[in-house]
Amino acid sequence: MSKDNFTVTPWDVSGDVNYNKLIKNFGLSKIDDKLLEKIKKQTGELHLFLKRGLFIAHRDLDVVLNSYAKGDSFFLYTGRGPSGNTHIGHLIPWILAKWLQDKYDLELYFQMTDDEKFLFKENLTLEEATGFAYENALDVIALGFDPKKTHIFTNTQYAKTLYPQALRVAKKLTFSTTKAVFGFTNETNTGQIFYTSMQTVPAFLPSVKAGRNIYCLIPHGIDQDPHFRVARDILPKLGYYKPASIQNIFFPGLAKGGKMSASDVNSAIFTTDSKKEVEKKINSAFTGGRETIEKQQKEGGNPDICNIYKYNHFLFEEDDERIEEMRHLCKKGQIRCKDCKKQLVQKINNFLQEHQKKRQLAKAKLSEFILTD
Ligand code: TYM
């Protein structure tokens, strides 16, 4: 753990993340009101995630939007490391990507890094990782992306196209840089050292294909930034634009503090969970409630540390008045945690029921989305 008492790398998030410090450490820009105004002016509205502060940081988003305003469009790139089922936290950057695709009429490149997960997960076989990639792709498709503009690929099955471009990146990337950025050591396997070159490729592949420079915007969780810091350093050396990004904070896990994480099954609600599983998980989630009902009524609860409130705030309660009311009732001790939990179980299960239906239908649509070579 760093001196800040938290760690954020693409493979390890621990401690109590101080986002202001992280933004400073990573050298990111905050998404401010001026930038939000610009987005609103171009799209006609602000997505809930932007209004409620789930996306807080960026690199060069203003540059991409200014160039868009002058008639120069851009493309989207995001991805998933397929090591298991998809949880609700993973959906956050994808939901925003879908909104951006609709609002700005954009192509999306979606990378499934089965190679990464094979290299970084001790007990995962390559076949298992590739299998999860197809499972996870169903979740992506279920969100309603446009098949004509959305291209999903696994690194191993699109390797003939990706590998030559990754080599160009790798030739410019030294071991010393990867050590400094990712903390690699002499014991790190050499696949891991090479890997970031693969994650860089989709940020300029459309420019290679088009034979001209096209701006790239990457919606992603803040943990992935180190990869794109490297990409921004290398790509101008190859004659391409630096990729821009829009970055979200972590969707909370079920326990106190910490993020929703696939490697901790008890922290996460998966898109494949049954109604009963959701109920069980939410009922045992950490809240901002007091030890007894009497104390709760007298002193009120604390929505600021409550996972149930945060889930509503970030994703499940879009109505601004209703979320304010929930906050007020909680602070005044006029609602019990039990009741908030019950309402949230209902909302999550409604969402998952729809999602699971669309996920099922996505199986027949996979071939419209998948790129292989
Ligand atoms: P992965 O599979 O760890 O995560 C997929 C995306 O979900 C984000 N994320 C979260 N966002 C909010 N709350 C959480 N609790 C949470 N947990 C994960 C991640 O930041 C990520 O955006 N190496 C990548 C795969 C990848 C990629 C990309 C991701 C390849 N190319 C381009 C983003 C953009 C990975 O393992 O992601």
Side-chain angles (χ1 to χ4, degrees):
M1 197 147 321
S2 67
K3 63 181 179 342
D4 293 326
N5 286 330
F6 64 84
T7 301
V8 176
T9 77
W11 305 287
D12 177 25
V13 177
S14 53
D16 190 6
V17 182
N18 176 332
Y19 287 105
N20 280 331
K21 271 200 176 153
L22 189 62
I23 286 174
K24 208 161 155 243
N25 293 351
F26 278 6
L28 305 173
S29 305
K30 275 194 183 175
I31 296 181
D32 58 14
D33 288 346
K34 209 171 131 215
L35 193 51
L36 290 178
E37 262 316 302
K38 194 187 286 284
I39 298 172
K40 195 170 172 192
K41 210 172 136 205
Q42 292 180 338
T43 61
E45 60 177 352
L46 276 185
H47 191 275
L48 185 77
F49 296 170
L50 293 166
K51 276 199 293 191
R52 301 258 173 99
L54 197 50
F55 279 79
I56 54 157
H58 75 100
R59 290 186 188 270
D60 284 352
L61 178 58
D62 48 341
V63 173
V64 168
L65 297 184
N66 288 343
S67 128
Y68 176 85
K70 290 186 195 134
D72 196 8
S73 195
F74 57 101
F75 70 92
L76 296 168
Y77 159 40
T78 195
R80 160 82 176 128
S83 57
N85 289 326
T86 302
H87 63 58
I88 290 177
H90 296 132
L91 299 182
I92 301 299
W94 310 348
I95 291 172
L96 192 83
K98 149 84 175 127
W99 185 79
L100 290 167
Q101 176 174 76
D102 289 348
K103 291 290 175 187
Y104 288 94
D105 190 22
L106 304 172
E107 299 267 329
L108 165 67
Y109 282 75
F110 196 107
Q111 180 178 46
M112 293 286 181
T113 57
D114 50 351
D115 53 348
E116 175 193 11
K117 290 296 141 171
F118 170 65
L119 290 165
F120 282 84
K121 292 254 162 189
E122 186 96 34
N123 294 318
L124 191 73
T125 66
L126 188 53
E127 291 70 25
E128 283 166 340
T130 311
F132 280 129
Y134 282 92
E135 280 299 313
N136 297 167
L138 300 178
D139 290 300
V140 176
I141 296 168
L143 295 178
F145 287 100
D146 181 345
K148 289 195 205 73
K149 299 203 192 88
T150 307
H151 317 288
I152 306 175
F153 51 91
T154 71
N155 280 357
T156 56
Q157 294 176 350
Y158 198 42
K160 224 169 146 182
T161 302
L162 300 174
Y163 187 58
Q165 303 307 330
L167 287 178
R168 295 173 71 198
V169 177
K171 199 169 179 175
K172 301 271 181 223
L173 181 55
T174 64
F175 180 39
S176 131
T177 299
T178 62
K179 268 202 289 197
V181 175
F182 300 109
F184 292 155
T185 65
N186 283 349
E187 279 62 51
T188 306
N189 76 52
T190 54
Q192 295 183 356
I193 297 162
F194 175 73
Y195 168 71
T196 201
S197 298
M198 289 298 280
Q199 188 155 328
T200 299
V201 173
F204 69 107
L205 187 64
S207 296
V208 174
K209 288 187 177 190
R212 68 183 170 91
N213 258 331
I214 312 175
Y215 279 112
C216 169
L217 176 65
I218 314 173
H220 66 80
I222 202 161
D223 58 318
Q224 297 296 312
D225 181 73
H227 286 300
F228 301 119
R229 213 179 308 147
V230 171
R232 286 169 60 85
D233 183 35
I234 305 279
L235 290 189
K237 296 180 185 162
L238 296 175
Y240 300 104
Y241 292 148
K242 291 181 180 192
S245 62
I246 177 163
Q247 309 193 12
N248 61 274
I249 60 173
F250 300 114
F251 198 74
L254 292 158
K256 185 179 180 188
K259 69 159 194 158
M260 192 170 276
S261 166
S263 48
D264 176 4
V265 178
N266 292 322
S267 77
I269 293 177
F270 293 93
T271 60
T272 44
D273 278 353
S274 69
K275 289 193 159 97
K276 275 256 153 308
E277 279 167 319
V278 169
E279 190 179 350
K280 203 168 145 229
K281 287 179 180 180
I282 291 298
N283 281 341
S284 63
F286 176 77
T287 72
R290 306 285 171 188
E291 303 81 65
T292 62
I293 293 186
E294 292 72 38
K295 217 170 167 207
Q296 172 101 352
Q297 282 168 342
K298 212 165 134 214
E299 296 172 18
N302 182 358
D304 293 326
I305 58 163
C306 178
N307 289 343
I308 305 298
Y309 177 78
K310 288 182 193 169
Y311 286 8
N312 275 297
H313 176 76
F314 286 138
L315 184 60
F316 291 104
E317 186 47 71
E318 292 197 23
D319 186 327
D320 289 337
E321 277 177 29
R322 178 75 194 110
I323 195 79
E324 243 338 288
E325 190 190 359
M326 287 178 77
R327 194 181 170 78
H328 177 77
L329 290 176
C330 174
K331 286 178 98 167
K332 292 271 164 221
Q334 290 167 0
I335 188 161
R336 295 178 304 176
C337 296
K338 203 174 138 200
D339 297 323
C340 279
K341 282 179 170 174
K342 205 168 154 197
Q343 288 168 12
L344 182 64
V345 167
Q346 194 60 43
K347 285 183 198 168
I348 297 179
N349 278 337
N350 287 348
F351 169 79
L352 287 186
Q353 190 175 351
E354 270 308 298
H355 184 83
Q356 286 166 6
K357 253 193 246 160
K358 291 180 191 152
R359 210 177 168 277
Q360 198 58 28
L361 295 172
K363 290 182 181 166
K365 297 189 200 158
L366 259 176
S367 61
E368 294 175 54
F369 288 87
I370 298 286
L371 283 182
T372 52
D373 42 24

